[in-house]
Amino acid sequence: MMSKYIYMDNAATTPIKREVLEAMMPYFTDKYGNPSSIYSIGGQSRNAIERAREKVSKVFNAKPQEIFFTSCGSESDNWAIKGIAYANRKRGNHIITSKIEHHAVLHTCQYLEKQGFRVTYLDVDEYGFINLDQLKESIRDDTILISIMFANNEIGTIQPIAEIGKIAKEKGIYFHTDAVQAIGNVKIDVNELNIDLLSLSAHKFYGPKGIGALYIRQGVKIDPLISGGAQERNRRAGTENVPYIVGLGKAIELAYENIDEHNEKLTKLRKRLIKGIFDNIDYVRLNGDEEKRLPGNANFCFRFIEGESILLSLDMEGIAGSSGSACTSGSLDPSHVLLAIGLPHEIAHGSLRLTLGDFNTEEDVDYVVEKLTEIVARLRAMSPLYDERKGR
Ligand SMILES: *Cc1c(COP(=O)(O)O)cnc(C)c1O
């Protein structure tokens, strides 16, 4: 048995909080009614969904009727982008996004290109920020949608969302943001930020996997992605996943109740982790911006070695991290995000993402620094590239 297990991959998914699970449980057993049924246990389910909807809307300063439940973050992204594209085709067929979006956005845009839509993929600078001037220059008469993620899942960079929202509003273009990583880490007011559509997913903020939501500003013209029954006010068919919706509502409520405390704790842990690594290991770089990043995100490149080898060695010590993102691991291509910030392939291959969460402690951080120092030294001792460096 391993003495302890240290989970530092909270950007991939988070463990569910006990209070969230407890809130969900009755809706699997006694309160099983279909929310569309008129008898009393149907009404119970209906009420539970509406309470969850209110909790989500309150967090964003939105109206409850602007929140729609989906099956995950990927569905929310697909719906926002395809739904806007198809409903507004007569107005134009041009979409603007960035090169560092999650694949749920990038692959959706690539799919739409095959359907005849035109997509501009904005560059990012070395820290992962889009350029607002390039955004303005990319806007055309036929631009119908700007989709820029709130915070990046790999390097944690938080985009200038208020500025993007202002530009979109001035030009009368819909603005969608994939805020999956931002929820529970950033306070978001959709009105102040001029956001028209926002995607979220419960499993990234200590809720269950397989449930998400899309905020759609009242008046936005959007087609449904899933056709069928009249659920979600005729916009998203399918019998509602009542227990999971209840779990999402509970999780988002908890996340924003404790957000200041959470951010303070994670920022402190992150700084300790980064300092520990820089104090003990050389030939290492931090990816992303030092300050404008998610509180729990640390992403490094270690020269002369492979991120995959570091991960396997960490796993043997009972430590879970990630190399790039969960979606890119298993493939030999380096992360599209690290390439977009200008890293050459050989450096991008040495990446390690450690993402801290509410359950991590200072002891965890110190243990990871200690083990990582040993692992990097051992792998480099076997690396011909590291040897060449010494010969120079
Ligand atoms: C995890 C993630 C998604 C996908 O969410 P799922 O619920 O896993 O489909 C989309 N965008 C970002 C930025 C993510 O981190």
Side-chain angles (χ1 to χ4, degrees):
M1 252 296 278
M2 235 162 334
S3 54
K4 54 180 165 186
Y5 189 72
I6 297 180
Y7 184 72
M8 286 200 190
D9 199 15
N10 287 277
T13 195
T14 53
I16 191 167
K17 283 192 172 149
R18 185 148 301 278
E19 300 100 298
V20 173
L21 181 64
E22 277 164 10
M24 293 168 67
M25 287 307 278
Y27 296 92
F28 288 108
T29 50
D30 300 340
K31 303 181 176 179
Y32 52 80
N34 188 318
S36 299
S37 305
I38 56 156
Y39 39 76
S40 60
I41 62 165
Q44 261 178 3
S45 295
R46 206 153 53 239
N47 289 339
I49 292 174
E50 293 321 312
R51 281 198 302 276
R53 204 186 306 282
E54 280 162 22
K55 285 176 183 173
V56 179
S57 68
K58 236 173 87 182
V59 156
F60 302 124
N61 189 24
K63 301 180 188 120
Q65 64 268 29
E66 294 175 314
I67 306 298
F68 298 86
F69 294 109
T70 65
S71 67
C72 60
S74 299
E75 184 190 328
S76 298
D77 285 341
N78 270 260
W79 183 13
I81 298 167
K82 289 177 186 164
I84 291 290
Y86 290 130
N88 296 276
R89 205 166 197 167
K90 286 212 183 77
R91 257 183 63 206
N93 75 341
H94 180 235
I95 295 166
I96 300 173
T97 185
S98 85
K99 288 186 178 162
I100 63 163
E101 298 298 310
H102 189 274
H103 283 143
V105 168
L106 282 180
H107 291 168
T108 302
C109 287
Q110 285 162 14
Y111 167 83
L112 287 174
E113 280 186 286
K114 288 194 204 130
Q115 310 293 311
F117 288 90
R118 308 302 293 268
V119 181
T120 299
Y121 299 90
L122 298 177
D123 297 318
V124 293
D125 67 14
E126 60 178 309
Y127 302 105
F129 295 113
I130 65 152
N131 179 317
L132 294 169
D133 290 326
Q134 197 197 9
L135 169 62
K136 283 184 210 156
E137 286 156 16
S138 304
I139 294 173
R140 318 187 314 205
D141 289 342
D142 60 351
T143 306
I144 50 175
L145 175 67
I146 297 171
S147 179
I148 301 288
M149 71 199 320
F150 209 114
N152 185 266
N153 46 303
E154 293 187 36
I155 57 174
T157 305
I158 299 173
Q159 297 294 341
I161 293 297
E163 285 82 352
I164 300 168
K166 196 159 162 266
I167 293 167
K169 190 178 181 189
E170 275 167 15
K171 300 282 185 181
I173 300 166
Y174 291 138
F175 174 34
H176 165 248
T177 187
D178 173 342
V180 173
Q181 291 287 335
I183 306 303
N185 295 311
V186 185
K187 290 177 190 165
I188 300 174
D189 182 321
V190 288
N191 298 315
E192 246 171 48
L193 297 173
N194 291 307
I195 294 166
D196 296 309
L197 305 112
L198 176 147
S199 305
L200 62 93
S201 177
H203 76 99
K204 303 289 176 74
F205 52 89
Y206 311 96
K209 293 167 188 59
I211 188 77
L214 181 65
Y215 157 78
I216 307 175
R217 181 179 294 282
Q218 217 161 26
V220 165
K221 254 184 82 185
I222 183 167
D223 277 1
L225 185 68
I226 298 180
S227 305
Q231 292 90 354
E232 297 296 277
R233 301 168 63 239
N234 271 315
R235 286 182 137 174
R236 199 278 186 182
T239 301
E240 299 87 339
N241 190 349
V242 184
Y244 282 64
I245 289 172
V246 168
L248 187 155
K250 185 71 188 174
I252 204 162
E253 182 180 55
L254 291 174
Y256 279 88
E257 248 170 41
N258 301 320
I259 186 167
D260 291 330
E261 205 181 305
H262 160 96
N263 282 352
E264 209 174 299
K265 177 188 158 172
L266 263 55
T267 302
K268 223 174 128 198
L269 288 181
R270 178 191 88 225
K271 292 195 166 167
R272 189 181 181 97
L273 177 66
I274 293 172
K275 185 174 186 308
I277 286 175
F278 275 86
D279 284 351
N280 289 284
I281 305 174
D282 53 8
Y283 299 104
V284 56
R285 60 164 276 148
L286 177 72
N287 298 312
D289 189 78
E290 209 172 314
E291 294 300 328
K292 284 187 193 137
R293 72 188 303 139
L294 291 169
N297 175 292
N299 187 313
F300 306 95
C301 281
F302 297 93
R303 295 287 305 276
F304 317 114
I305 50 178
E306 297 274 331
E308 294 286 314
S309 322
I310 305 174
L311 276 190
L312 291 175
S313 303
L314 283 174
D315 185 42
M316 286 193 283
E317 303 288 351
I319 300 165
S322 150
S323 167
S325 73
C327 318
T328 45
S329 63
S331 95
L332 284 175
D333 290 335
S335 130
H336 65 286
V337 176
L338 297 181
L339 296 181
I341 62 171
L343 296 186
H345 279 241
E346 71 271 19
I347 294 184
H349 272 302
S351 77
L352 174 71
R353 180 186 73 180
L354 296 171
T355 44
L356 300 152
D358 285 350
F359 297 110
N360 289 124
T361 61
E362 281 191 359
E363 292 73 52
D364 289 353
V365 167
D366 295 345
Y367 183 75
V368 168
V369 169
E370 183 194 320
K371 289 297 162 192
L372 194 57
T373 304
E374 290 168 18
I375 288 166
V376 170
R378 181 161 48 76
L379 293 173
R380 280 180 178 166
M382 300 187 297
S383 163
L385 296 167
Y386 191 62
D387 250 14
E388 269 171 42
R389 176 205 57 96
K390 280 191 292 191
R392 262 190 248 131

